[in-house]
């Protein structure tokens, strides 16, 4: 007989337990605990870590009794959205607001089922104009709109 | 005491009626209604997106705007529930039960008019309660010491994570993770930088904006892009003529609105229960007291009026613990507190004394906002219906852009943009694994304060952990927390089917 368990719940339980060990362990090694009357910087984080490990183990217990599978990850949406943010982060200081926004929109649209190049460029231009109007002109924030490299 | 109240009302009005503040209040309620109407974007995501703008405003103006989004969403959510049988905002999901049948019977106009009226009546009741009770709570809280504050915050966190979100255990896990993330930065007692991994940017702690926008804004986009593709809806136009209620409707309205307001005002002020629970409770009560319970689910007017009254009353009274004690009952309220903290205002009982203009200005702006909502909601319904046809294809790139620019604009710091991306990815996987992100934000905001109160209480008690149960008031609160915790763990272990609730 094979034991059934809920793999989604188990992954969650392991993540919480690992997080607890990492938080508590790191604090234990690097920061003094102090005494209850005069707590050091390590006391609170170590306590949190211990609680997390406890919750993780409880979650693991419930996971071992259920059955279920790991849900499907929307890799395409995930990668497109995170990459578009990364593009913005990499370009906004060096090239300015408009190039960063245009690139962001064109990349994030890749999450769509149907990708239309023209549609993306049109949307990117409209949103870039809106961004400049709201943030640079409306709220007069000190962004460079376009900046040459170097 | 009545003289005080009068003086405070005048002070509040003089802040709330500054034209610029009316403007910010308008922006807030307008956006709130917008996100309330649109399914898939909640008030929480909208507040985290507008959060960066409040850095550049007077704290009162910023708060008025953020608060407007919150209660505006409660108004707007009912529109989609009634017209499409699809809650625009989770707090309006109960309204579908009788609102959509009413629409099918050609009575959507009546339903919309009565929910708008009920919302206004209930919100007014909620505001009055806040005006009368807040000073009393502040007076009472002056007797609280550090142990009591720590216990209260613990109770708030446990309540919020066990009651309103599916699995209690997972909610508590998220609270603890949030508190843990809150410890990043320089320790205020010893000056030791914790978990900064050698990065100077982390000395002041993780930016609440980056955490909130990542968990709610970005994670929501990733989840919704594929799901929202098939959003084809054709709501029928609503004419003003169709809004006229029958005499029977009018007869049923006052009691249902009053009961809904009372239930909502009560549950709204409690930590952890919030608007969603309030509207469910109001619906259940209405069905129980009705002489003809069989009408419910088939277009009963009371079934629409009462829950909508409840969620709007709760939306207002939720501000009471947040603004008087500095203890938010939900993630949305935690963000509102966060907006105060970034302006260097310490939330807590002294807020009302030290910044009466902020407190009373906010309360009075609730009136302004609710009048705006009452006036705007019905005439704009045509616009809202058309907006429902805007495809998500166009919306989500815009949201992504606002998130990135918004978080960058706070300090012109690319570091915060990287943080938002990191928390966006984290938030997506948390959702995937069924961990609710809302308690994390609550823990994150309260974490600092909890640690501070905890350590100070321990210093005062010379290291005696029993101080939290030896002080009578603290002991009572701790007992309530323990009971809730036991219930949460117990129900998790017997695998109660999780309710997908989120506020």
């Amino acid at each position: 007989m094979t034991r059934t368990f809920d793999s989604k719940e188990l992954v969650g339980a392991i993540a919480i337990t690992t997080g607890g060990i990492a938080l508590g362990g790191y604090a234990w090694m690097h920061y003094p605990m102090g005494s209850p009357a005069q707590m050091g910087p390590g006391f609170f984080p170590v306590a949190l870590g211990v609680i997390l490990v406890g919750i993780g183990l409880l979650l693991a217990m419930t996971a071992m009794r259920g059955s279920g599978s790991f849900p499907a990850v929307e890799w395409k949406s995930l990668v497109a959205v995170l990459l578009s943010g990364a593009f913005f982060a990499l370009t906004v200081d060096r090239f300015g607001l408009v190039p960063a926004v245009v690139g962001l929109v064109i990349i994030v649209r890749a999450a769509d089922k149907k990708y239309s190049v023209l549609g993306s460029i049109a949307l990117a231009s409209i949103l870039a104009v809106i961004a400049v109007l709201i943030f640079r002109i409306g709220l007069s924030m000190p962004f460079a709109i376009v900046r040459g490299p170097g | 005491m009545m003289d005080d109240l009068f003086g405070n009302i005048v002070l509040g009005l003089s802040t709330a009626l500054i034209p610029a503040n009316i403007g910010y209040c308008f922006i807030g309620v307008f956006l709130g209604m917008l996100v309330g109407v649109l399914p898939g974007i909640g008030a929480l995501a909208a507040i985290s997106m507008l959060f960066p703008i409040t850095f550049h405003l007077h704290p009162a103006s910023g708060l008025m705007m953020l608060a407007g989004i919150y209660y505006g969403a409660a108004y707007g959510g009912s529109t989609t529930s009634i017209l499409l049988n699809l809650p625009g905002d989770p707090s309006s999901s109960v309204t579908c039960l009788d609102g959509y049948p009413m629409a099918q019977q050609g009575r959507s106009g009546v339903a919309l008019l009565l929910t708008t009226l009920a919302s206004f009546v209930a919100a007014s009741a909620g505001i009055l309660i806040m005006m009368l009770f807040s000073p009393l709570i502040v007076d009472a809280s002056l007797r609280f010491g550090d142990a009591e504050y720590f216990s209260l915050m613990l109770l708030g966190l446990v309540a919020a994570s066990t009651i309103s979100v599916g699995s209690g255990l997972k909610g508590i896990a998220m609270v603890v993770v949030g508190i843990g993330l809150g410890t990043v930065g320089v320790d205020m007692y010893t000056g030791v930088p914790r978990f900064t991994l050698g990065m100077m940017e982390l000395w002041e702690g993780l930016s609440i904006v980056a955490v909130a926008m990542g968990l709610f804004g970005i994670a929501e986009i990733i989840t919704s892009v594929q799901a929202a593709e098939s959003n084809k809806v054709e709501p029928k136009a609503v004419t003003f003529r169709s809004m006229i209620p029958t005499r029977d409707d009018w007869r049923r309205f006052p009691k249902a609105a009053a009961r809904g307001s009372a239930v909502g005002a009560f549950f709204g002020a409690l930590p952890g229960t919030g608007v969603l629970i309030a509207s469910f409770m109001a619906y259940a009560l209405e069905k129980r007291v009705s002489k003809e319970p069989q009408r419910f689910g088939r277009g009963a007017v009371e079934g629409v009026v009462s829950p909508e009254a409840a969620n709007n009353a709760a939306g207002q009274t939720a501000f009471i613990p947040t603004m008087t004690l500095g203890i938010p009952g939900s993630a949305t309220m935690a963000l509102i507190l966060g907006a105060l903290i970034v302006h260097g205002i310490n939330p807590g009982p002294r807020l009302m004394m030290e910044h009466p203009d902020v407190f009373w200005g906010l309360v009075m702006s609730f009136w302004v906002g609710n009048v705006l909502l009452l006036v705007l909601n019905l005439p704009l319904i045509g616009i809202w219906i058309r907006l429902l046809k805007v495809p998500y294809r166009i919306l989500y790139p815009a949201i992504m852009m606002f998130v990135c620019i918004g978080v960058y604009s706070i300090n012109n710091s690319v570091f915060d943009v990287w943080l938002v991306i990191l928390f966006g990815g984290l938030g997506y996987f948390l959702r995937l694994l069924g961990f609710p992100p809302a308690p994390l934000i609550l823990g994150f905001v309260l974490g600092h304060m909890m640690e501070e109160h905890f350590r100070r209480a321990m210093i005062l008690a010379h290291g005696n952990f029993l101080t939290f149960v030896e002080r009578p008031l603290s002991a009572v609160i701790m007992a309530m927390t323990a009971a809730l915790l036991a219930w949460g763990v117990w129900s998790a272990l017997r695998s109660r089917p999780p309710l997908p609730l989120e506020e």
Side-chain angles (χ1 to χ4, degrees), chain B residues 430-482:
Chain B
L430 288 177
R431 268 169 205 236
L432 204 65
L433 295 172
F435 285 95
L440 194 158
I441 278 289
L442 261 178
F444 180 73
V445 172
L446 283 183
H448 293 286
M449 289 185 272
M450 277 183 85
E451 185 180 2
E452 199 181 332
H453 286 301
F454 181 70
R455 284 165 75 170
R456 204 155 51 207
M458 290 300 286
I459 293 172
L460 293 175
H462 307 291
N464 178 10
F465 284 100
L466 292 177
T467 180
F468 297 103
V469 290
E470 280 171 0
R471 296 170 66 105
L473 197 55
S474 175
V476 172
I477 304 168
M478 279 296 189
M480 288 159 70
T481 312

Side-chain angles (χ1 to χ4, degrees), chain B residues 355-369:
Chain B
H355 302 276
D357 57 323
V358 173
F359 182 88
W360 292 101
L362 178 68
V363 175
M364 287 301 129
S365 85
F366 292 166
W367 289 115
V368 176

Side-chain angles (χ1 to χ4, degrees), chain A residues 9-10 12-17 48 50-65, chain B residues 157-178 430 433-437 439-440 482 484-499:
Chain A
E9 297 297 311
L10 195 63
I14 292 169
I16 293 295
T17 315
L48 293 174
V50 172
I51 297 172
L52 271 184
V53 171
I55 297 175
L57 294 179
L58 277 175
L59 282 172
M61 273 165 59
T62 60
M64 294 313 288
R65 289 192 322 202
Chain B
L157 287 178
V158 170
S161 50
T162 49
I163 298 176
S164 59
V165 273
S167 155
L169 213 46
K170 284 181 168 177
I172 296 170
M174 285 297 98
V175 164
V176 181
V177 170
L430 288 177
L433 295 172
F435 285 95
L440 194 158
L484 262 174
L485 208 55
W487 177 74
V489 172
W490 178 71
S491 58
L493 287 178
R494 51 180 266 280
S495 312
R496 182 171 52 113
L499 293 156

